[in-house]
Amino acid sequence: MTAGIEPTAPLAAVPGGSESGLVIAPMLVVLVAAVGSLLLGRWPRLRIGVSLAGGAAYAAVVAAIDWYVVLAPDAPGVATYQVGDWPAPFGITLVVDGLSAFMLTMVAILGIASLVFSTRVLPEIDRRSYYFPLFHFLALGVTGAFLTGDLFNLFVWFEVMLMASYIFVAYYGGPQHTRAAFWYVALNLLASAVFLLGVGGIYATTGTLNMADLAQRLADPGAYGLDPTPVVGLFALLLSVFAIKSGLVPFQFWIPTAYRAAPPQISALLAGATKKVGIYAIIRLSFTVLADADVPVELAVPGVGTVIAGDSPLAFVGAALFVMAAASILVGGIGAVGRDSIEGVLAYSSIGQVGFIAVPVAIAATTGSAELRHFAVVAALVYALNHTLAKGLLFLAVGAIRSATGTSRLSDLGGLAGRSPPLAIGFFVGSLALVGIPPLSGFFGKFLVFDAAARAESAPLLVLLLVGSLLTIAYTTRTWNRSFWGARTDAVEEASVDVVQVGVVLVLATAIVAVGIGFEPVYEFADAAASAALDGEAYVDAVDPLEPDELETEGGEH
Amino acid sequence: MTAVILAAVVGALFALGTFLLLRRDLIRVVWGLAIISQAANVYLLAMGGLADASADSVPILAGHGEHVPQTADPLVQALVLTAIVIGFGMTAFALVLSYRVYEEHDTLDVSELGDRDR
């Protein structure tokens, strides 16, 4: 029996094989929701019903994955689905482990909030447009990117996600929206070409695109007869692509225009979900795939000495991430202070906050201590969760403000706190979570990131984080003062606030408080996610790519 | 020799694409993007190797007997096919979008677009 003739049945041999149906379930659910809402264009109410049902089913499936794959006492930790029963690395592999599950959970929470919000902001005519199908296709792309175990499929899912987001950026169709969308499309097409270069180069160098197989081959290049050195440079190409997706400086320039052009509830998703795809890809490839790679890296700068040295590509990744994270925190923070609209502030803030996520990732990449690496990844994940909740809440609040007053310019706002106290409370909670006040989720995010920097014994990093935090306080205070306090403007006086929109904002605020108060289980989940991200061996075992001798002779038997 | 020619072709395509990308006319920018993605496709094909195939890269053939003839790597063909389809769709979308930009701004000149909403 060989792999080529009849597909074998490796599922039985895969640990956690019984969960394999769950792995593909979120993609199926969201695909059905997308196609269903596409077909129901003539019946807007039915379409909205199907969309909401799809969102609820998605959340249920993700919750099932969280429990049965990651959190239950006898959970396997990793589950795989080999498409068409082809064994890895020949088939397409879908994998869910703690890291993917953690990311999916964030997307599910924010996705539902944004979906419910969407049903209230679209005028009747828009409900007949392709808004809801596109919303689900965006979710499909994000879900696929989190689940795929294959580099080229990561590219494909990125494209699915981007295609929907292009249309959302151009959605309002005015001059500045088309302009923002054009540059967003142009930049991402260029990034896609670079992604292909990286993927093609890695395939030529290692002979595989399956991430588990890649990890296995890079850990022991001798057995496969390959020279892994080019992988460092090729991964640098991929890193630049992921940095574009996550908006790290110097690849941040598209963010302010795109976030301002997109509808606010979509900007919430762009900041909370698609940005996290970039972060996820960096963490997954750095720690699951490349951490055990056997490649000496050394870079000396004349006059400075050796700046990068290590025995895996992580040394390079860490150094690059440090520079990008530091620049992001400063550029984002300083940029946010001077904006004249709330969206502008939030978009720049988003650049700064992603720097806070990248700092612990960089610490994890450079440190030699396994314990600190684990801790730093936990810090990054908790911070990412906080950013998703807080930034999602704030963008939705802007959406509520905009549909109530028709503007989000700071100069046209004032006295919102008296006009709608619930909205003000929601916005306040979101702002405090960004700043990092206990007992909100942001406190633990910031605390863990500072703790990681302290454990890395890096004074410059601590100063950087402190400056970034002060900038956060500066721009959140300024935004709050100018839009919620002070004399009421005409726009605010005539505002009519939508109850459901504010309700969604308050639900997210409650979630932020709940995460802060009941932090123990959240920490455990993040801890499991970090263990999964760092345990390349378990990942490889679960995907179970064939060994070299099996490849030569009897492909499918094991 | 083939490798050198391919490398030169890919390099030339990237150079041309980059040149067009930096033009002021939006349509040329779209052309530049199309050419760059085609350059990436040619590169991807070349990365699959024009050398002898083995059982590793062509598992289907390995199943039909001991002998594996010289073949191109089928995986990269599949990858390129996918990339072409995606690139085609994206180029079409970018062209439609540039038409819409023209409708909204009455110009395709990048420098004039930038001045509008300051």
Side-chain angles (χ1 to χ4, degrees):
Chain A
M1 182 169 71
T2 50
I5 299 169
E6 58 185 80
T8 53
L11 286 182
V14 174
S18 57
E19 279 86 10
S20 66
L22 265 183
V23 179
I24 203 168
M27 283 160 79
L28 288 180
V29 165
V30 78
L31 187 62
V32 167
V35 175
S37 55
L38 196 58
L39 295 176
L40 294 171
R42 284 162 162 271
W43 300 281
R45 282 178 179 283
L46 205 54
R47 165 183 270 182
I48 289 176
V50 167
S51 287
L52 289 175
Y58 183 78
V61 168
V62 169
I65 286 180
D66 288 348
W67 178 251
Y68 287 109
V69 179
V70 186
L71 296 175
D74 58 344
V78 194
T80 57
Y81 181 89
Q82 312 278 13
V83 176
D85 268 7
W86 284 84
F90 302 124
I92 294 169
T93 310
L94 301 173
V95 193
V96 63
D97 64 356
L99 182 61
S100 327
F102 191 81
M103 295 283 172
L104 281 175
T105 312
M106 296 199 302
V107 171
I109 296 170
L110 186 60
I112 297 250
S114 174
L115 192 58
V116 174
F117 194 93
S118 298
T119 61
R120 300 295 296 185
V121 285
L122 296 184
E124 194 62 36
I125 183 77
D126 273 5
R127 297 187 186 181
R128 290 178 183 273
S129 74
Y130 294 108
Y131 182 93
F132 286 103
L134 280 171
F135 190 99
H136 293 295
F137 278 117
L138 182 66
L140 177 65
V142 174
T143 312
F146 287 148
L147 291 181
T148 185
D150 177 295
L151 269 186
F152 189 79
N153 280 282
L154 189 63
F155 165 78
V156 174
W157 290 119
F158 267 39
E159 295 301 316
V160 172
M161 170 182 95
L162 288 172
M163 186 52 118
S165 69
Y166 295 154
I167 302 169
F168 280 129
V169 172
Y171 191 72
Y172 288 133
Q176 74 271 36
H177 308 114
T178 52
R179 196 175 71 97
F182 188 86
W183 293 124
Y184 181 56
V185 171
L187 176 74
N188 278 302
L189 284 184
L190 196 59
S192 302
V194 175
F195 200 162
L196 277 184
L197 293 188
V199 165
I202 285 180
Y203 181 66
T205 313
T206 64
T208 187
L209 289 171
N210 185 294
M211 292 200 264
D213 197 24
L214 194 59
Q216 183 173 294
R217 290 183 185 216
L218 287 176
D220 189 11
Y224 295 85
L226 50 94
D227 171 23
T229 315
V231 170
V232 181
L234 292 164
F235 185 64
L237 282 182
L238 294 186
L239 189 64
S240 68
V241 175
F242 300 150
I244 287 178
K245 307 293 183 242
S246 45
L248 283 162
V249 176
F251 305 108
Q252 89 296 356
F253 45 85
W254 60 272
I255 285 196
T257 44
Y259 281 21
R260 267 197 307 245
Q265 69 277 15
I266 297 299
S267 298
L269 270 191
L270 290 180
T274 66
K275 204 168 226 194
K276 299 303 181 300
V277 174
I279 301 284
Y280 165 81
I282 291 174
I283 294 180
R284 170 68 80 210
L285 278 177
S286 303
F287 300 114
T288 313
V289 176
L290 291 178
D292 298 327
D294 188 12
V295 197
V297 180
E298 197 176 341
L299 180 69
V301 175
V304 184
T306 309
V307 287
I308 301 173
D311 53 3
S312 84
L314 282 189
F316 165 77
V317 174
L321 274 179
F322 268 132
V323 175
M324 294 198 285
S328 299
I329 289 177
L330 296 177
V331 169
I334 293 169
V337 173
R339 292 305 108 188
D340 57 1
S341 72
I342 308 183
E343 277 115 325
V345 172
L346 295 182
Y348 273 92
S349 147
S350 193
I351 298 169
Q353 299 291 315
V354 83
F356 277 96
I357 304 173
V359 163
V361 178
I363 293 173
T366 42
T367 182
S369 136
E371 197 186 336
L372 177 56
R373 175 174 286 183
H374 181 92
F375 183 77
V377 174
V378 172
L381 290 175
V382 171
Y383 204 97
L385 171 70
N386 172 54
H387 179 244
T388 297
L389 292 176
K391 197 50 67 63
L393 180 153
L394 290 173
F395 268 116
L396 292 183
V398 172
I401 292 172
R402 228 164 58 175
S403 58
T405 66
T407 179
S408 62
R409 299 181 67 83
L410 290 171
S411 53
D412 298 340
L413 291 171
L416 266 172
R419 187 68 192 76
S420 172
L423 182 60
I425 291 169
F427 197 91
F428 194 60
V429 169
S431 301
L432 290 185
L434 271 193
V435 175
I437 304 290
L440 306 173
S441 61
F443 168 70
F444 292 102
K446 271 234 158 78
F447 178 76
L448 291 173
V449 171
F450 271 99
D451 199 0
R455 290 193 198 189
E457 291 170 358
S458 165
L461 264 190
L462 283 172
V463 172
L464 173 76
L465 292 173
L466 200 60
V467 170
S469 304
L470 291 177
L471 285 169
T472 314
I473 296 174
Y475 65 72
T476 46
T477 318
R478 176 173 171 273
T479 312
W480 170 263
N481 284 351
R482 297 200 39 185
S483 48
F484 285 87
W485 279 350
R488 284 190 203 177
T489 57
D490 294 345
V492 174
E493 202 61 59
E494 289 159 17
S496 60
V497 181
D498 186 285
V499 181
V500 175
Q501 291 178 11
V502 175
V504 172
V505 171
L506 286 179
V507 167
L508 277 181
T510 316
I512 287 176
V513 177
V515 167
I517 292 174
F519 186 64
E520 194 61 34
V522 178
Y523 184 85
E524 272 169 32
F525 195 5
D527 193 58
S531 307
L534 296 177
D535 194 352
E537 240 167 75
Y539 187 85
V540 172
D541 282 349
V543 176
D544 198 20
L546 304 176
E547 303 275 342
D549 50 327
E550 293 175 302
L551 284 171
E552 296 296 338
T553 54
E554 295 185 282
E557 279 183 350
H558 34 232
Chain B
M1 192 59 204
T2 330
V4 175
I5 295 173
L6 262 180
V9 167
V10 171
L13 282 174
F14 266 108
L16 179 62
T18 312
F19 174 74
L20 285 172
L21 199 59
L22 298 174
R23 302 273 86 190
R24 279 167 56 173
D25 185 358
L26 276 194
I27 298 298
R28 297 210 176 141
V29 173
V30 176
W31 271 110
L33 289 168
I35 288 174
I36 284 184
S37 58
Q38 293 313 317
N41 290 343
V42 176
Y43 163 89
L44 206 56
L45 268 184
M47 285 297 110
L50 303 169
D52 297 355
S54 71
D56 291 18
S57 56
V58 198
I60 305 270
L61 285 181
H64 289 275
E66 294 299 307
H67 180 62
V68 179
Q70 281 197 333
T71 49
D73 186 341
L75 181 66
V76 288
Q77 318 267 327
L79 299 189
V80 167
L81 194 57
T82 315
I84 286 174
V85 173
I86 292 175
F88 174 70
M90 292 299 178
T91 309
F93 181 73
L95 279 172
V96 172
L97 194 59
S98 50
Y99 178 65
R100 180 71 200 224
V101 170
Y102 177 70
E103 279 190 333
E104 294 288 338
H105 294 261
D106 285 330
T107 178
L108 282 173
D109 190 317
V110 171
S111 53
E112 288 177 39
L113 285 187
D115 293 334
R116 278 271 171 132
D117 71 344
R118 291 289 141 158

